[in-house]
Amino acid sequence: QVQLVESGGGLVQPGGSLRLSCAASGSIFDIASMNWYRQAPGKQRELVAGITTTGTTNYADSVKGRFTISRDNAKNAVYLQMNSLKPEDTAAYYCNFVRVTWRTTNYWGQGTQVTVSS
């Protein structure tokens, strides 16, 4: 059973930085994309950033220019560098791997809390 293990969340002041990491505990092949989602209390889960196998990235408008997603295919790992953090970035962050074979399978991490507060 493959699991995604996240790390790097925590409490940071506005304007600060955090780096989230997510790695698969086992081998996963045919991963089409790796993504970061977040969910704040009382709100729906939203896509923050995504990266494909070829390195194409996409970002939510609210984080463009502040967050950077990257991946290490050899390690089945994805990272999210978050700079210039704002209180509205406070949320639980989840990594997501999308595996495409003859069907599409989604894998999810357990979530890591990011709190931006002074």
Side-chain angles (χ1 to χ4, degrees):
Q1 181 73 15
V2 175
Q3 292 183 326
L4 302 186
V5 181
E6 301 163 354
S7 60
L11 173 64
V12 64
Q13 292 187 342
S17 298
L18 283 174
R19 185 174 187 256
L20 304 183
S21 300
C22 173
S25 61
S27 297
I28 307 179
F29 300 98
D30 302 315
I31 298 175
S33 66
M34 296 178 175
N35 309 287
W36 286 97
Y37 285 77
R38 69 185 180 188
Q39 187 168 19
K43 295 187 177 181
Q44 289 189 331
R45 187 173 296 190
E46 63 172 349
L47 178 65
V48 176
I51 185 167
T52 68
T53 305
T54 58
T56 301
T57 59
N58 65 284
Y59 297 92
D61 289 342
S62 59
V63 307
K64 283 181 181 177
R66 301 188 297 121
F67 290 11
T68 302
I69 189 171
S70 60
R71 65 188 284 174
D72 185 331
N73 291 331
K75 295 181 178 180
N76 274 339
V78 65
Y79 310 96
L80 186 67
Q81 177 66 43
M82 304 185 294
N83 298 327
S84 302
L85 283 161
K86 304 175 181 180
E88 50 264 43
D89 294 318
T90 296
Y93 284 71
Y94 300 88
C95 65
N96 161 252
F97 287 10
V98 181
R99 180 173 182 241
V100 178
T101 55
W102 58 275
R103 65 176 183 177
T104 298
T105 303
N106 279 277
Y107 298 90
W108 291 92
Q110 80 284 358
T112 185
Q113 180 66 34
V114 171
T115 302
V116 185
S117 175
S118 55

